[in-house]
Amino acid sequence: MTQQGVRWTADQVLALAPDAASRTAGSKLGAAGPWSKAGSSDEGTVWGLCRGSGSRPYQTVIDIADSTGPAYKCTCPSRKFPCKHALGLLLLWAGEDGSVSRGPAPDWAEQWIEGRRERAGEKGTTGGASGTASPGDPEAARRRAQRRAERITAGAAELEQRLADLLRGGLASAEQAGYGMWEETAARMVDAQAPGLAARVRELGAIPSSGPGWPVRLLEECALLHLLDQGWLRRERLPDDLAATVRSRVGLPGSADGPPVRDRWLVLAQYDTADTRLTTRRIWLHGAETDRTVLLLSYGAAGRAPELTLPVGLAFEAEVSAYPGAGQLRAALGERFTPPAPARTRPPGLTTPQAAARFGEALRADPWLDSQPVTLARVIPTPVDDTWQLADAEGDFGLPITPSLLSRPGLWRLAALSGGAPVTVFGECGHQGFTPLTAWPEGDGEPVSLC
């Protein structure tokens, strides 16, 4: 049963939007004007009729108590999930102004809810019986894995030669050759079935045009790529955890084979990154009992939002299983035991020197790590010359904010939330600085997403 006494915030509702256009359109429908017969139940269902351009209103119903996250049904023709009507209805419900009354669901909403829960029950009943299917041929799978490993080894050896040629000819040759040289090398790594190597090679191609100091940055990245190559070529000599990390960084798929860990998980942050082919959603969770921070990854095809959505500030009880690898924080979400509901808790925080030390320790386990999740306690956003930092309220230390964030609205939301007073900030501490993702004011205030 969902916690009806504590409603979601508008930020948590809008975090469900598949894109900016849906967020804007949903916000316009978050008032009582276009809605009629809106209601909610103690079982976690919200429904309403929304006036549209046609003669009949759209029927919108949402199952908030679904253990896999909110589920939506709307008779509008939109292919986005949730659609603007579902977002508007949730905003209306979150407003607690009496527009959404408590009571029994209408027949059309009740039929959808019952159908969903019946199908979920059938799936749970039959899910354990699927073991009757014949497993794949393990010998054939072993041969496929061996052939792929051989192709990756050949690609890594070729990449080593290209890196040696670059250093022999001087880094200035990288600027003269342009991006085409790196793209061709990346294509060779794709042919070798090493997408992780290909991605790192493409990143090299952008460095010569990245401004002053690029030769140093190029040399650093070449060294890390060389280290990864050598790790793959000598993987049999590595400890098991480090060998698993190398396989993951090269691009071999892995499975979450760690033992399930049950806890009450607080959603710390959620944000998307996208390219022309894929949208990747990163969701950070913190376990209240285990004090563990884990990363969930979800993917959507180009132009479509990933399926998994967990707005910041919600908490739920569930099991997660870790992926293999030294220092790896990625996990797979397993069985959920309670629906996500708003929570007032926050993770314990560190000072800025402790955060920097934690990142250093993580690099020992995974030298290719870009950043480490950290919660900073009692820091103050402070402008320094042309940049900003998060300074300890009771100390003389601070962490610089990642330069690429200085022109984004999240920084100004953080500064406004603080107003010169200490705040708690969760984010990613890395080579370029600290990237704030979520902040809490002093006291018992609600989290503010900065993504």
Side-chain angles (χ1 to χ4, degrees):
M1 180 179 294
T2 186
Q3 298 180 11
Q4 292 294 315
V6 183
R7 306 234 176 170
W8 293 12
T9 65
D11 280 347
Q12 288 167 340
V13 171
L14 293 176
L16 300 170
D19 51 40
S22 297
R23 193 176 298 115
T24 300
S27 297
K28 295 178 180 178
L29 293 174
W35 293 95
S36 62
K37 299 182 180 179
S40 65
S41 72
D42 290 334
E43 287 73 35
T45 307
V46 183
W47 61 86
L49 302 177
C50 186
R51 185 175 64 251
S53 57
S55 59
R56 302 182 63 181
Y58 296 124
Q59 296 176 340
T60 307
V61 56
I62 304 161
D63 184 5
I64 301 171
D66 189 274
S67 63
T68 62
Y72 322 92
K73 171 67 175 178
C74 186
T75 56
C76 75
S78 174
R79 294 187 178 182
K80 296 181 180 180
F81 294 96
C83 67
K84 63 181 181 181
H85 305 101
L87 291 170
L89 181 57
L90 280 176
L91 287 171
L92 189 68
W93 168 76
E96 294 190 275
D97 61 357
S99 300
V100 180
S101 59
R102 193 74 59 83
D107 290 342
W108 56 269
E110 190 64 35
Q111 289 173 5
W112 179 74
I113 291 293
E114 290 181 354
R116 279 188 87 295
R117 293 177 181 171
E118 285 177 6
R119 289 192 294 273
E122 291 171 359
K123 184 176 180 181
T125 303
T126 60
S130 60
T132 56
S134 59
D137 183 354
E139 178 59 25
R142 186 194 66 79
R143 289 196 299 269
R144 287 194 298 271
Q146 182 177 355
R147 287 195 297 269
R148 181 169 185 178
E150 290 170 353
R151 283 193 287 268
I152 295 175
T153 297
E158 180 181 345
L159 182 55
E160 282 291 277
Q161 184 60 51
R162 296 200 177 201
L163 291 174
D165 291 344
L166 171 65
L167 296 179
R168 189 178 300 111
L171 295 180
S173 62
E175 188 175 30
Q176 297 167 358
Y179 190 77
M181 175 187 73
W182 301 107
E183 184 58 38
E184 190 269 336
T185 304
R188 295 287 296 164
M189 296 305 104
V190 171
D191 292 341
Q193 293 187 293
L197 292 179
R200 286 188 168 270
V201 168
R202 288 194 177 97
E203 291 175 2
L204 292 181
I207 294 177
S209 59
S210 62
W214 69 263
V216 174
R217 294 191 292 275
L218 180 60
L219 187 60
E220 290 172 347
E221 293 302 320
C222 284
L224 285 172
L225 188 53
H226 167 69
L227 184 64
L228 183 56
D229 266 349
Q230 291 299 315
W232 172 263
L233 295 173
R234 293 169 169 78
R235 61 193 181 279
E236 293 85 1
R237 309 179 198 175
L238 299 178
D240 290 343
D241 280 350
L242 185 55
T245 298
V246 168
R247 288 194 293 270
S248 173
R249 293 297 184 184
V250 164
L252 284 176
S255 59
D257 56 4
V261 176
R262 181 168 178 170
D263 205 337
R264 183 162 181 80
W265 300 96
L266 173 67
V267 184
L268 294 177
Q270 173 183 290
Y271 67 94
D272 295 349
T273 56
D275 56 30
T276 57
R277 293 170 294 180
L278 193 69
T279 298
T280 302
R281 175 163 294 163
R282 299 167 67 87
I283 302 176
W284 287 107
L285 305 178
H286 180 264
E289 298 295 328
T290 59
D291 195 27
R292 289 180 57 180
T293 301
V294 299
L295 173 65
L296 306 181
L297 294 181
S298 182
Y299 301 96
R304 299 194 63 180
E307 221 172 279
L308 183 61
T309 299
L310 293 171
V312 172
L314 301 188
F316 58 99
E317 191 171 340
E319 290 180 342
V320 302
S321 298
Y323 281 77
Q328 297 299 297
L329 298 178
R330 186 185 175 191
L333 185 59
E335 183 177 359
R336 303 192 209 181
F337 304 100
T338 63
R344 293 289 187 178
T345 58
R346 62 186 70 178
L350 305 176
T351 64
T352 56
Q354 289 171 332
R358 177 168 292 186
F359 178 52
E361 292 170 1
L363 283 176
R364 288 191 299 181
D366 182 357
W368 307 279
L369 188 67
D370 292 323
S371 61
Q372 181 77 356
V374 172
T375 301
L376 300 177
R378 293 185 57 77
V379 291
I380 302 174
T382 306
V384 180
D385 296 328
D386 295 330
T387 186
W388 284 70
Q389 67 176 6
L390 295 175
D392 285 319
E394 284 90 18
D396 299 325
F397 299 97
L399 284 175
I401 289 179
T402 307
S404 61
L405 299 181
L406 299 181
S407 60
R408 298 184 185 177
L411 174 60
W412 308 114
R413 295 185 73 182
L414 176 59
L417 179 70
S418 165
V423 290
T424 298
V425 182
F426 170 77
E428 297 172 351
C429 183
H431 298 285
Q432 301 297 319
F434 189 89
T435 302
L437 299 175
T438 304
W440 295 261
E442 287 282 88
D444 193 31
E446 296 174 346
V448 174
S449 176
L450 308 173
C451 302

